[in-house]
Amino acid sequence: MAKKSKQTKTLPIYILNGPNLNLLGVREPEVYGTTTLPQIEKMCADQARRHGLSIVFRQSNREGEIVDHLQEARTGASSVIINPAGYGHTSIAILDAIQALAIPVIEVHLSNIHRREPYRNHSYVSKGATGIVMGLGAQGYLRAVDAVAEILKVSK
Ligand code: DQA
């Protein structure tokens, strides 16, 4: 008879992307780079696999839908990586949903929002984030996956 494995599988990392990130690759490439969102998804899945982890990768242009995904993460995810895009600068609802989570949350921005227009210098999401990665382009997502893997390993 096959031995039952005692290893419990870690829940996936939810990687959530806000409005207009579906246009990565063609949208202001001088600011956001030329890597597309499907390419970032694949890079993240590969990186997570190297750490023995899996991902659920989503993009939405709708604030309420992002709130729904964050609420789903309460029971469905081990951790969250979120690029809230423009909603980071405006959305208390997304911050509230993040603050209702009891898991690590890493905020990602492709660009360094502090080097940009004043209205981009503040992020509501940062108040609820465990950590922040910004200004590293698509690579920033991979560093966020590394950070989550390290945090989950330590808290196991
Ligand atoms: C962004 C920065 C935001 O200011 C902007 O609205 C985005 C992308 C980034 O990844 O650099 O859509 O979150």
Side-chain angles (χ1 to χ4, degrees), residues 38 44 62 69 83 94 96-97 99 108 110-112 120 130 133 146:
C44 287
R62 291 171 193 80
H69 292 156
N83 183 346
I94 289 177
D96 285 345
Q99 288 185 320
V108 171
L110 295 144
S111 61
N112 178 351
R120 293 186 201 274
T130 312
V133 182
D146 292 342

Side-chain angles (χ1 to χ4, degrees), residues 19 21 27 32 83-86 89 108-111 113 116 120:
L21 293 173
R27 171 193 178 207
Y32 299 118
N83 183 346
H89 313 302
V108 171
H109 296 281
L110 295 144
S111 61
I113 60 174
R116 301 189 59 196
R120 293 186 201 274

